[in-house]
Amino acid sequence: MCFYTDLMFTQSEENYLKAIFHLEQEGEAGVATSNLSEQLQAKAASVTEMIKKLADKNLVDYQKYYGVRLTENGRKQALNIVRKHRLWELFLAEHLGFKWDEVHEVAEQLEHIKSEKLIDSIDKLLGYPKNDPHGDPIPDKNGNLEKKNKSLLSKCKPGDSGVIIGVKDTSSSFLQYLDKQHIAIGTKFTIQHKEPFDGLLDIDINTKQLKMSHKMAANLYVETNESSS
Amino acid sequence: MCFYTDLMFTQSEENYLKAIFHLEQEGEAGVATSNLSEQLQAKAASVTEMIKKLADKNLVDYQKYYGVRLTENGRKQALNIVRKHRLWELFLAEHLGFKWDEVHEVAEQLEHIKSEKLIDSIDKLLGYPKNDPHGDPIPDKNGNLEKKNKSLLSKCKPGDSGVIIGVKDTSSSFLQYLDKQHIAIGTKFTIQHKEPFDGLLDIDINTKQLKMSHKMAANLYVETNESSS
DNA sequence: TTAAATTATTAGGTTTGCCTAAATTTTAAT
DNA sequence: ATTAAAATTTAGGCAAACCTAATAATTTAA
């Protein structure tokens, strides 16, 4: 029984909306079938099929062969799912002792629970938080998403200092690697030296001096007070 | 990806297991297709079909035309779902301010989330509780279900006193009616008089004298110190 | 600019879980 | 004991969401 004029969506539809949203965030205007196919671990043919369904429901604009974009309504729905996902992640971390590399998988399931009261209560319990355990912003109830101007640590220059505010790669292996190095959201750093050849950084972090690979730096979002130069 | 030799079940399969479990509790040895059909709001033909699938997976013993019973493994799985349902109900009530008539619907969804760590954490957070908000016992991790000897208030005789320990009907309307009368789990009572004609009770409850219909009394589980008679 | 390679779509299948209608078995009543 | 009623199962379909294989459009590169 569904009392809403506002339709409800299947888990699969929700996953598509979320995937399109994330790929749009990555820059492309017009998300390609192949990218969705990869993101969703489904064959391209399946993606085309679902895209058509979403287009029929006015959740996406679709032009054959030229990819897909969220409509305003589609974006609103996607943001709501992202909101739920990130709130659940934070709940798991803060109230149930999950580590930041453990929250994603379970949140993938919890995000599909249909109860406005439930998610609003979780939001309240958490104190209307702004960011999830990976530093990603949590959309508010109205779909407003804070757009912090974050940059990648790999773009910083010697002399720059700042704070880690997020991770790009959220894989368990990367997050556990960060744990091992005691790097977390909020950790402060100063760049001492950057090797021109391979981008290897000498970086002050946690009162220690560390050699950080370019690959690692390219997966850390930072907020900097740029050095005067 | 499923790492368990122990299979995982679809939501629908889980709902069937749970429904069979509940109907077995109601007494019948051999749950009828028609009862499952009613409980699950599905047509009898659909039930027969699913029963066969569960029988193939050794979750139920099935004899055509003579109903279905859980196997030992089926019972174990059913208890696990019941456990999750009741823990979620209590979590919603205790940590998110849900009223006892609001918890069931959401728990119906949450019970299907697949994460042992999640439910164990909730269990721990709640302090390994023994009962859900309706007074029903919560199976432990090993599938042990406390079997309290509860009886119905409607079976009590004048002079009996005791405590409300559970509700049989868990519909919103009944639960809200109880709220209105300030009757809850733990509420004490003494029966003053019982009308032979229609079972209407004069009952001391909440320091007030109340007329309680037989129908209402037949939906309240109690623990009594029977009057010496 | 045209052919080859890549990408996307269509066509036709599969599985799950539901349905209706028809056939069968059990149960109840005379 | 027989028949009518009720319950159950079988048979055949449908929609969702996936798949493979074949076809078509676009892009790239010679």
Side-chain angles (χ1 to χ4, degrees):
Chain A
M1 22 182 159
C2 175
F3 306 111
Y4 307 114
T5 348
D6 215 335
L7 305 130
M8 289 228 251
F9 307 106
T10 63
Q11 291 204 184
S12 189
E13 287 171 331
E14 291 189 346
N15 286 336
Y16 274 84
L17 289 172
K18 193 169 48 124
I20 296 166
F21 174 83
H22 286 311
L23 289 170
E24 279 191 354
Q25 294 288 98
E26 297 290 305
E28 321 159 61
V31 173
T33 302
S34 54
N35 290 342
L36 278 170
S37 166
E38 204 207 327
Q39 180 99 6
L40 291 159
Q41 299 280 49
K43 300 296 165 184
S46 311
V47 172
T48 300
E49 188 175 61
M50 179 60 93
I51 279 174
K52 282 193 208 153
K53 204 187 320 179
L54 296 175
D56 287 345
K57 297 187 179 183
N58 277 303
L59 294 162
V60 299
D61 290 323
Y62 171 50
Q63 268 204 277
K64 261 194 198 178
Y65 292 102
Y66 292 91
V68 76
R69 304 200 58 172
L70 291 171
T71 61
E72 199 176 325
N73 186 36
R75 186 181 152 82
K76 199 183 97 194
Q77 303 301 338
L79 278 163
N80 189 237
I81 301 156
V82 169
R83 168 177 155 77
K84 290 196 278 181
H85 181 96
R86 291 179 180 169
L87 283 170
W88 278 116
E89 284 195 342
L90 192 62
F91 169 78
L92 294 172
E94 297 219 323
H95 286 260
L96 298 185
F98 278 58
K99 302 202 211 80
W100 69 343
D101 61 299
E102 297 174 318
V103 297
H104 181 78
E105 188 190 331
V106 184
E108 284 290 297
Q109 299 178 62
L110 288 164
E111 70 189 6
H112 300 295
I113 301 291
K114 276 146 185 76
S115 166
E116 202 174 323
K117 171 159 183 153
L118 174 61
I119 202 63
D120 289 349
S121 301
I122 293 282
D123 194 20
K124 184 180 174 192
L125 181 70
L126 294 168
Y128 307 102
K130 286 282 206 310
N131 296 93
D132 78 11
H134 310 113
D136 293 315
I138 300 173
D140 72 16
K141 218 172 130 62
N142 304 311
N144 300 310
L145 185 64
E146 181 175 312
K147 204 87 207 214
K148 216 183 274 183
N149 51 344
K150 59 189 181 186
S151 55
L152 288 172
L153 181 50
S154 54
K155 295 283 168 63
C156 292
K157 291 175 294 291
D160 289 356
S161 63
V163 186
I164 308 289
I165 58 164
V167 294
K168 188 169 180 208
D169 178 357
T170 57
S171 68
S172 286
S173 55
F174 182 56
L175 297 174
Q176 285 173 15
Y177 184 34
L178 291 173
D179 283 342
K180 212 165 59 182
Q181 311 241 15
H182 305 288
I183 295 168
I185 307 296
T187 301
K188 289 179 187 136
F189 67 89
T190 305
I191 297 190
Q192 299 297 349
H193 176 74
K194 182 174 185 176
E195 185 59 42
F197 176 66
D198 57 7
L200 188 71
L201 297 173
D202 284 330
I203 183 169
D204 274 348
I205 200 162
N206 285 317
T207 70
K208 275 198 287 276
Q209 181 106 7
L210 195 76
K211 300 267 181 197
M212 183 184 287
S213 72
H214 178 79
K215 185 174 176 185
M216 182 158 186
N219 280 297
L220 289 170
Y221 289 120
V222 298
E223 208 169 43
T224 51
N225 331 302
E226 277 182 54
S227 62
S228 53
S229 68
Chain B
M1 52 223 100
C2 175
F3 305 111
Y4 308 113
T5 348
D6 218 336
L7 304 130
M8 289 229 250
F9 306 106
T10 64
Q11 291 203 185
S12 188
E13 288 171 332
E14 291 188 347
N15 286 336
Y16 274 83
L17 289 172
K18 193 168 49 123
I20 296 166
F21 174 83
H22 286 311
L23 290 171
E24 279 191 355
Q25 295 288 100
E26 296 292 304
E28 321 159 63
V31 174
T33 302
S34 55
N35 290 343
L36 278 171
S37 166
E38 204 208 326
Q39 179 99 5
L40 291 159
Q41 300 280 47
K43 300 296 165 185
S46 312
V47 172
T48 300
E49 189 175 60
M50 178 60 93
I51 278 174
K52 281 193 208 153
K53 204 188 317 177
L54 296 176
D56 288 345
K57 296 186 179 184
N58 277 302
L59 294 162
V60 298
D61 290 323
Y62 171 49
Q63 267 203 277
K64 263 195 196 180
Y65 293 101
Y66 292 93
V68 76
R69 304 200 58 173
L70 291 172
T71 60
E72 198 177 327
N73 186 37
R75 186 182 152 83
K76 199 183 97 191
Q77 303 302 337
L79 278 163
N80 189 237
I81 301 156
V82 169
R83 167 177 156 78
K84 290 197 277 181
H85 181 95
R86 292 179 178 169
L87 283 170
W88 277 116
E89 283 194 341
L90 192 62
F91 169 78
L92 294 172
E94 297 221 323
H95 286 260
L96 298 184
F98 278 58
K99 302 200 213 83
W100 69 343
D101 61 299
E102 297 174 318
V103 298
H104 181 78
E105 188 190 331
V106 184
E108 283 290 299
Q109 299 179 60
L110 287 163
E111 71 190 5
H112 300 295
I113 302 290
K114 275 146 187 74
S115 165
E116 203 175 322
K117 173 162 181 151
L118 175 60
I119 201 64
D120 289 348
S121 301
I122 294 282
D123 193 20
K124 184 180 173 190
L125 181 70
L126 294 168
Y128 307 103
K130 286 281 205 309
N131 296 92
D132 77 11
H134 310 113
D136 293 315
I138 299 173
D140 73 15
K141 218 172 129 59
N142 304 312
N144 300 310
L145 185 64
E146 181 176 313
K147 200 110 202 203
K148 216 184 272 183
N149 52 344
K150 59 190 182 187
S151 56
L152 288 173
L153 181 51
S154 54
K155 296 283 168 63
C156 291
K157 293 175 291 292
D160 289 354
S161 63
V163 186
I164 308 288
I165 59 164
V167 294
K168 186 166 182 211
D169 178 356
T170 58
S171 69
S172 286
S173 55
F174 181 57
L175 296 175
Q176 285 172 18
Y177 183 35
L178 291 174
D179 283 341
K180 212 165 60 183
Q181 313 238 20
H182 305 289
I183 294 169
I185 307 296
T187 302
K188 290 179 185 136
F189 67 89
T190 304
I191 297 188
Q192 299 296 350
H193 177 75
K194 183 173 184 177
E195 185 60 43
F197 177 66
D198 56 8
L200 189 71
L201 298 173
D202 283 330
I203 181 170
D204 273 348
I205 198 162
N206 286 314
T207 71
K208 276 198 286 277
Q209 181 106 7
L210 195 76
K211 300 262 183 203
M212 183 184 288
S213 72
H214 178 79
K215 185 175 176 184
M216 182 157 185
N219 281 295
L220 289 171
Y221 289 120
V222 299
E223 206 170 44
T224 51
N225 331 303
E226 275 182 57
S227 64
S228 51
S229 70

